[in-house]
Amino acid sequence: MNHSEAFEWTCAELESKSLLNTLEVRGTVRLALKQAGLEPRHVTPEQMRVVLERIMPGELESRAVTDAESVCLSLVPGLSCLAAGTEVETPEDVFKRLSG
Amino acid sequence: MARPEDSLAVLLGVSQLLYLATVLALGLRLSILASRNRQLPEILLAVHFVLCATVGYVLLGVGVPASYEPGMLSPEVMALLIGGGHLASSVGVFAGAAFNYFVFRRGKAWARGLLWLGGLTLSTGYIGYAMSGGFRDGRCEGIWFWLLYGTYTAAAAWVMTEPFAHYYGVMRKHLRLGLVEPLVANRFLLWGGGSVCRFIMLIMGGIPSIFFRHLSPAEWQALTSITLTFVALAGFGVSVTYWLTFFPTPAYKRFLQRRHESAGDEI
C-alpha cells in the first residue's frame, strides 16, 4: 500500500529520535492518525502537523518515550518543507464546494 | 369542519410543492456550478437532482396514480409518463450512486462493483419492465418492476448510509482537531439526514402502489393515509435539510459557529 510522503517522513524521523523500532513507530503513527480520522495514504503535511501537536505526544508518552512533546514539536518545521503532496480530493473538498 | 383526508391532502400538497421547489432549485444551482467548474461530483449531483428528484418524480407522481384508473389516460400518454419517469429516475439514481462512489469510496473495488451492478440491474429492470408492458399499465408488480424498484431503494440506502453512518464520525474527529470548518462538517449530517428522509419517501410512496391490487378499497384507503402522512413529513424533512446543505442561511451559520465554540466538538 502506498503511504503519503508526510506519513513516511514522520515515521522515519520519529524512529531516529526515539528508541522505538520501525514497526512500533509505524503502528503508533497509524493509531494517532486513526484517532484523527485520517489515513496514512492521504494524510497531508498540514494534517500531520496537527496530529503531531495534538495527539502524538500522548501516544509516545504511553510508550515510555521521554520528552515526547519536544520530540513531536521538533518535527514540525521539517514537515513544512514537504510538498503538499498529491492532493487527493476528499469528501470535505467536495462538500465545501457544493454551497459555492 | 375539515375532514382528516382534506387535512392530509393539504399537508401533502404543501410538502410536495416545497420538496419540488427545493430539489428544482438545487438541480439548477448544481447545474450552474457544474457548468462553471466541470467537476464530476457536481455534474453527477446535478443530473441526479434534475432527472431523478424532479423530472422522474413528477412523471411517476402523475403516471402511477393514473394507472389506478384504467382508461383515464391513453396508453400512449401512460407510456410517456411511466416510461419517461422510470428512464429519468434510472439515470438519476445511477448518477446519485456514482456521486456516492466518487466522493466517498473512489478506488474501492467493492464499491465500483456495486455501482456497475446497480447500472446493470437498472438497465435490465427498465428494459424488462418496458417489454413486459409495464409502461402501458403502470403495474407495480412482477420481477422487472421489483428489480427496478429494488435498485432505486438499494441506491437510496447506500446514499444515506455513507455520510450518516460512516463519514459523520470522521468529521467529528476532524472538527475536534480543527481540520474542518463546522459548517462543512455539519453539511454531511444534513446531507445524510435529507437522504434518510428521501429513503422514507421512496419506501412509503411505493407501498400503496404495491398493495393496490391486493387490498379492499377501505383497507387501501387506510394504508394510503398512513403512508402519505409519512411522505408529507419526510418531504418537509428533505426540503429543510437539503436547503441548509446547499444554501445555509446566515442565521444557521451563526448558530453552528456558536455551538462549535461552546461545545468544542459538537457538529
Side-chain angles (χ1 to χ4, degrees):
Chain A
M1 183 189 282
N2 293 329
H3 295 115
S4 74
E5 191 183 4
F7 177 82
E8 295 292 358
W9 184 88
T10 302
C11 290
E13 289 295 307
L14 273 178
E15 193 179 342
S16 70
K17 293 184 177 184
S18 69
L19 294 175
L20 301 177
N21 64 32
T22 305
L23 276 179
E24 288 168 334
V25 164
R26 292 177 82 85
T28 305
V29 176
R30 277 175 190 281
L31 283 174
L33 290 179
K34 193 173 180 184
Q35 281 185 52
L38 298 166
E39 291 181 30
R41 278 183 305 165
H42 304 311
V43 63
T44 65
E46 178 57 23
Q47 290 168 334
M48 188 59 92
R49 177 187 66 75
V50 175
V51 172
L52 281 171
E53 289 173 351
R54 306 275 299 273
I55 300 175
M56 196 61 87
E59 288 294 319
L60 291 181
E61 274 171 18
S62 70
R63 285 158 184 76
V65 173
T66 52
D67 210 6
E69 190 160 356
S70 299
V71 170
C72 291
L73 292 179
S74 71
L75 302 188
V76 171
L79 266 178
S80 62
C81 299
L82 298 179
T86 50
E87 287 284 332
V88 176
E89 189 174 65
T90 63
E92 295 100 290
D93 297 331
V94 175
F95 273 68
K96 194 172 184 176
R97 282 202 312 262
L98 287 179
S99 78
Chain B
M1 191 175 164
R3 294 178 304 162
E5 49 269 40
D6 292 339
S7 305
L8 176 58
V10 170
L11 183 73
L12 188 64
V14 173
S15 159
Q16 294 304 283
L17 279 177
L18 195 62
Y19 168 82
L20 282 173
T22 302
V23 292
L24 183 61
L26 297 185
L28 293 174
R29 160 94 179 71
L30 285 163
S31 299
I32 293 167
L33 188 62
S35 69
R36 282 188 193 144
N37 68 13
R38 310 267 174 199
Q39 294 288 324
L40 186 60
E42 281 86 330
I43 294 170
L44 291 170
L45 214 49
V47 170
H48 174 73
F49 272 114
V50 172
L51 290 185
C52 172
T54 311
V55 176
Y57 192 79
V58 169
L59 293 180
L60 290 175
V62 175
V64 172
S67 73
Y68 302 156
E69 308 279 347
M72 185 180 164
L73 295 174
S74 70
E76 291 75 22
V77 174
M78 279 295 292
L80 191 69
L81 291 172
I82 303 284
H86 277 301
L87 180 63
S89 294
S90 297
V91 175
V93 163
F94 185 76
F99 170 83
N100 219 36
Y101 167 73
F102 281 109
V103 172
F104 293 105
R105 300 287 181 182
R106 189 184 296 214
K108 303 275 186 199
W110 67 265
R112 194 165 45 239
L114 205 59
L115 181 63
W116 289 119
L117 179 67
L120 183 69
T121 53
L122 282 171
S123 50
T124 310
Y126 184 81
I127 292 167
Y129 192 55
M131 292 183 73
S132 63
F135 292 176
R136 287 188 172 262
D137 57 21
R139 70 192 190 297
C140 298
E141 57 192 21
I143 187 171
W144 303 115
F145 168 77
W146 283 110
L147 194 60
L148 206 50
Y149 186 70
T151 310
Y152 294 167
T153 310
W158 189 24
V159 168
M160 80 176 180
T161 302
E162 290 293 355
F164 210 46
H166 167 64
Y167 220 75
Y168 178 60
V170 173
M171 283 298 94
R172 287 179 68 92
K173 290 176 178 177
H174 285 199
L175 193 62
R176 253 178 238 131
L177 296 169
L179 292 170
V180 66
E181 297 164 33
L183 182 65
V184 176
N186 179 258
R187 203 164 280 161
F188 288 89
L189 187 62
L190 291 171
W191 175 250
S195 301
V196 169
C197 291
R198 280 190 72 198
F199 183 76
I200 292 169
M201 284 177 77
L202 180 66
I203 296 285
M204 290 296 166
I207 286 176
S209 309
I210 293 163
F211 289 102
F212 176 61
R213 288 175 174 82
H214 308 286
L215 296 176
S216 70
E219 288 170 334
W220 188 74
Q221 189 67 41
L223 177 70
T224 304
S225 298
I226 295 167
T227 57
L228 290 185
T229 303
F230 275 101
V231 170
L233 296 175
F236 285 120
V238 172
S239 305
V240 172
T241 51
Y242 276 9
W243 189 268
L244 290 174
T245 303
F246 295 93
F247 302 101
T249 61
Y252 188 67
K253 289 180 185 175
R254 286 195 299 273
F255 162 74
L256 285 179
Q257 194 57 42
R258 275 199 308 272
R259 233 177 87 138
H260 176 61
E261 284 164 3
S262 62
D265 64 343
E266 288 299 321
I267 56 174

